[in-house]
Amino acid sequence: MAYRPARFPGSRRVLAADAVGRYDLRRTMMARLLASNPALSLLLLVGDVEMDELDLDPHAGVEAVSAAFTRPEPDVHGLIIAGNLLVNTAVQHPRTNNGMSLYVLGDLKARNVVISGLELVVHGDLRVSEVFAGAGPSGGARLDGDVHAKMLVSEAFPMLVGGQLKAPVLETGRTRIGVVEGAGVREAKGEVPPSLVMTDQVLEPGPEGVELFSWPRFKTAVASRMPTLSPDYLAGRTNLESMRELRRLEGEIEVVLAEGRYARGAELLRKARAMGAPRNETGLMLADAIYRVHHGTGSREALAEALELLDEALGPKPDTAAVMAHPQALLQRAAILLQLKEHDDEAFDQAWRDCSLAAVTMPAQERAGIAGLMGQWLFTRHRYDECVPYLRQALSADPDDGAQHGRLARALWMLDREAEALPHATRSLELNPADNRMWYVRGKCQQVLGDPEDARLDLATYLEMHPDDDLAVEALIIVDLDAGDTDEAVESALRFIEHYPDIDGAPARFGRLFHLRERYDLAVPLLRRAMQLHPEDSSIVRDLAFALNESGHDQMGLDTALRRVEIDSEDDHITYLRAEVNLALNDPNAAEGDLEEYVARFPRAGRAFASLASIRLLQLRPAEAKRLLETAQSIAPDDYYIDSVVEKAGFAQDTDPTDTTDLTDLTDSASRPTQLMKAGPSPQEGERSAAAQLSFRDGGFRRPG
């Protein structure tokens, strides 16, 4: 069969068996094929060769300008260049997947080398000004000298470099390159991301939005003489050292995260992100690492960083692709929002959307965890009735989750479903002993369910851990009162006020409790202490006034002040009520200032003038008392209360205002409150601190001996 050289007039056909030994091709795949193909032939060109383009398509005809030869059948295995080869454009075979093998006994220089399904052997150096790329496992390249290229691409194409590799390697995920070093071979891995060095013409979209190298597009671009490398990379504006460091970092990150060393992983991910790693993907990995480290610690600064990363990658309304690719990230964002912004309405809406989207995409067995998070959100927002079904669903998948048992117990307790809450509270204490507040919850449930002894034990256990909790003391007081142990109830209240005088809301809380139980004699001293601590609190003043009234004492001035306060709810008359309360408590010194202020603001308050006059009489200032009573009588001439004060003062007849003999009856009757005001506490009360010196004795209570 005659072969007509199309471009190489000096070429001739030779047997492969002769060429193997003569041109040192014994370590080639061609040499191994000779045993089964003894007639294998080659096309030989002797000397240095230069051409515009080398097409290694075995079917190329004579009409093709770049065809090396023509023949009716592809029975020629390859082409030997017995010298150096210079190709001004590309060595390739654009119209077929498999080309002829190429053997260059000297150096090979070209702009691009794009081959697949063939054998390339170069005895000298290989210098490619742009890209040397090979694809497919059926061929291979043996390069005995140095390899210089702007970019080296192995798409599952075996390459063995005998000299120095002076080319960056593209990361395709299928790199197969070995470099001979002494007696061994070092694997050269891909280190350059395609999206940073390749043009869009040779890239295709991959999973998670990552652009990948496409061999068919690359081959077409080279055949069309379109640029395959980005202008920045060709101009040297792309820092390959940073890329190599980034690839090294990514490898270390993969190992560290696989070992569960998330703190170290977060440190490396921050560095990789600063070096130009894919922003969204790396950001999600960094957020995951931060979340795993700090979700348990509750570090607000760290969790805020993770939230910012998640917001950047996902956005407020994640698209379908992001939801499908990162459902776990949605749950992490919801959990972080719960920790950082649990009372923020916008955060709740965002977290609810994230949980709902994640529930659609995640496997059924993981949806219980989503339900638990949604239940936790509702629980935090005090939507107890709505959260119960979600928490039950979470526990159906993980019945040993102590924290969820605790939330469910609290929710049911807040809904007054103590019988349902009790077993969950007990299970929570078994599984999650760190939640010691559950002793209080269980004690309250047992109290409602009629088990006072167990309730007392649980509440006492809780108080051992939190002795400053006035709510727990209040619960114990209720248990004691229910059991008829009034002495112990009062002692508990006094003990707490003595030990924790800074908790100034306790006297009011305990006083109201006794008041609701209609133990007004016990409520009065506690509410009195509360009023001393918070004289501006109108609710305390009102409660104390009602308790004094219900105690059975006839206090006409107090009745008047109460009616005045009830008529006007704007608290304009609280000073008057507080003054009358102090008078009822035999403390005229405390009442004086309030009455003076009140009559200045309300000059028509006749009974207030009369009450102030009674204080002036106790101060032995009869002239002032008389003037005040005259003013009161001019305002309300027929008022019974004013007349009674005038009568007690001895001003019913015209007497000398400087003569105090007529005041004997009033001062005698007032001697007891005046003495109480000036005298110290009783010996028993004196044993207590000032905060606990309450006049229970005057209310008829006696501490047990």
Side-chain angles (χ1 to χ4, degrees), residues 214-232:
S214 170
W215 174 258
R217 291 188 178 188
F218 175 75
K219 187 176 179 182
T220 300
V222 172
S224 305
R225 299 193 179 184
M226 297 172 62
T228 58
L229 296 175
S230 70
D232 284 345

Side-chain angles (χ1 to χ4, degrees), residues 478-498:
I478 293 173
V479 172
D480 291 332
L481 290 176
D482 287 342
D485 193 351
T486 304
D487 290 350
E488 182 58 32
V490 173
E491 189 64 25
S492 295
L494 289 175
R495 213 169 25 237
F496 185 86
I497 295 171
E498 179 180 6

Side-chain angles (χ1 to χ4, degrees), residues 623-650:
E624 292 183 42
K626 184 174 182 180
R627 285 195 298 272
L628 291 170
L629 287 172
E630 289 173 350
T631 302
Q633 284 182 315
S634 67
I635 297 169
D638 298 321
D639 187 275
Y640 171 76
Y641 174 68
I642 297 174
D643 290 344
S644 67
V645 176
V646 170
E647 183 179 353
K648 290 178 182 179

Side-chain angles (χ1 to χ4, degrees), residues 383-446:
R383 294 162 64 173
Y384 302 115
D385 195 34
E386 296 175 67
C387 80
V388 167
Y390 290 101
L391 295 175
R392 289 194 190 279
Q393 183 180 348
L395 284 173
S396 67
D398 185 6
D400 293 333
D401 188 335
Q404 296 290 39
H405 277 290
R407 292 188 190 98
L408 184 53
R410 286 180 172 87
L412 292 169
W413 172 54
M414 294 300 294
L415 293 170
D416 297 327
R417 294 157 63 177
E418 286 83 359
E420 297 176 65
L422 184 58
H424 292 289
T426 300
R427 189 66 176 142
S428 174
L429 286 170
E430 294 171 355
L431 297 170
N432 189 25
D435 184 11
N436 49 53
R437 174 73 175 172
M438 196 51 56
W439 290 105
Y440 174 78
V441 174
R442 192 172 75 167
K444 292 293 290 182
C445 289
Q446 290 166 335

Side-chain angles (χ1 to χ4, degrees), residues 666-679:
L666 181 62
T667 53
D668 286 344
S669 63
S671 61
R672 182 175 177 273
T674 305
Q675 291 165 2
L676 286 174
M677 178 178 63
K678 296 179 179 179

Side-chain angles (χ1 to χ4, degrees), residues 339-541:
Q339 286 187 270
L340 298 182
K341 305 178 181 181
E342 60 182 358
H343 301 299
D344 187 306
D345 290 340
E346 291 185 8
F348 172 76
D349 293 339
Q350 180 66 69
W352 199 260
R353 283 197 302 270
D354 286 349
C355 288
S356 301
L357 289 171
V360 174
T361 58
M362 295 188 74
Q365 63 269 21
E366 297 185 31
R367 290 176 190 167
I370 303 174
L373 187 56
M374 297 171 85
Q376 187 177 352
W377 262 108
L378 292 169
F379 175 85
T380 303
R381 299 182 73 76
H382 310 298
R383 294 162 64 173
Y384 302 115
D385 195 34
E386 296 175 67
C387 80
V388 167
Y390 290 101
L391 295 175
R392 289 194 190 279
Q393 183 180 348
L395 284 173
S396 67
D398 185 6
D400 293 333
D401 188 335
Q404 296 290 39
H405 277 290
R407 292 188 190 98
L408 184 53
R410 286 180 172 87
L412 292 169
W413 172 54
M414 294 300 294
L415 293 170
D416 297 327
R417 294 157 63 177
E418 286 83 359
E420 297 176 65
L422 184 58
H424 292 289
T426 300
R427 189 66 176 142
S428 174
L429 286 170
E430 294 171 355
L431 297 170
N432 189 25
D435 184 11
N436 49 53
R437 174 73 175 172
M438 196 51 56
W439 290 105
Y440 174 78
V441 174
R442 192 172 75 167
K444 292 293 290 182
C445 289
Q446 290 166 335
Q447 178 187 357
V448 172
L449 295 173
D451 190 353
E453 291 307 316
D454 285 344
R456 189 194 303 274
L457 287 173
D458 281 353
L459 292 169
T461 301
Y462 175 72
L463 273 173
E464 289 178 3
M465 295 177 280
H466 300 278
D468 59 345
D469 192 325
D470 54 334
L471 286 173
V473 174
E474 180 185 28
L476 271 176
I477 291 173
I478 293 173
V479 172
D480 291 332
L481 290 176
D482 287 342
D485 193 351
T486 304
D487 290 350
E488 182 58 32
V490 173
E491 189 64 25
S492 295
L494 289 175
R495 213 169 25 237
F496 185 86
I497 295 171
E498 179 180 6
H499 290 145
Y500 301 100
D502 294 336
I503 303 179
D504 50 19
R509 180 183 298 280
F510 300 154
R512 288 188 176 113
L513 176 59
F514 286 121
H515 183 278
L516 291 173
R517 291 302 184 98
E518 299 183 356
R519 291 304 307 269
Y520 307 113
D521 55 333
L522 303 179
V524 167
L526 290 164
L527 291 172
R528 180 182 186 180
R529 174 60 183 166
M531 188 180 71
Q532 291 171 347
L533 293 170
H534 298 284
E536 75 289 344
D537 191 324
S538 60
S539 64
I540 294 176
V541 178

Side-chain angles (χ1 to χ4, degrees), residues 48-115:
D48 295 340
V49 177
E50 179 180 358
M51 59 183 73
D52 182 55
E53 182 180 26
L54 175 56
D55 189 343
L56 294 173
D57 183 353
H59 298 286
V62 68
E63 72 280 359
V65 176
S66 62
F69 50 84
T70 181
R71 61 198 184 288
E73 297 294 337
D75 56 353
V76 175
H77 177 73
L79 174 65
I80 297 178
I81 306 295
N84 299 317
L85 173 61
L86 173 62
V87 181
N88 295 319
T89 56
V91 178
Q92 59 177 329
H93 44 92
R95 289 172 296 277
T96 182
N97 291 329
N98 298 316
M100 295 187 303
S101 295
L102 176 62
Y103 304 93
V104 180
L105 306 186
D107 296 336
L108 169 59
K109 295 181 181 180
R111 179 187 297 174
N112 290 292
V113 176
V114 183
I115 55 177

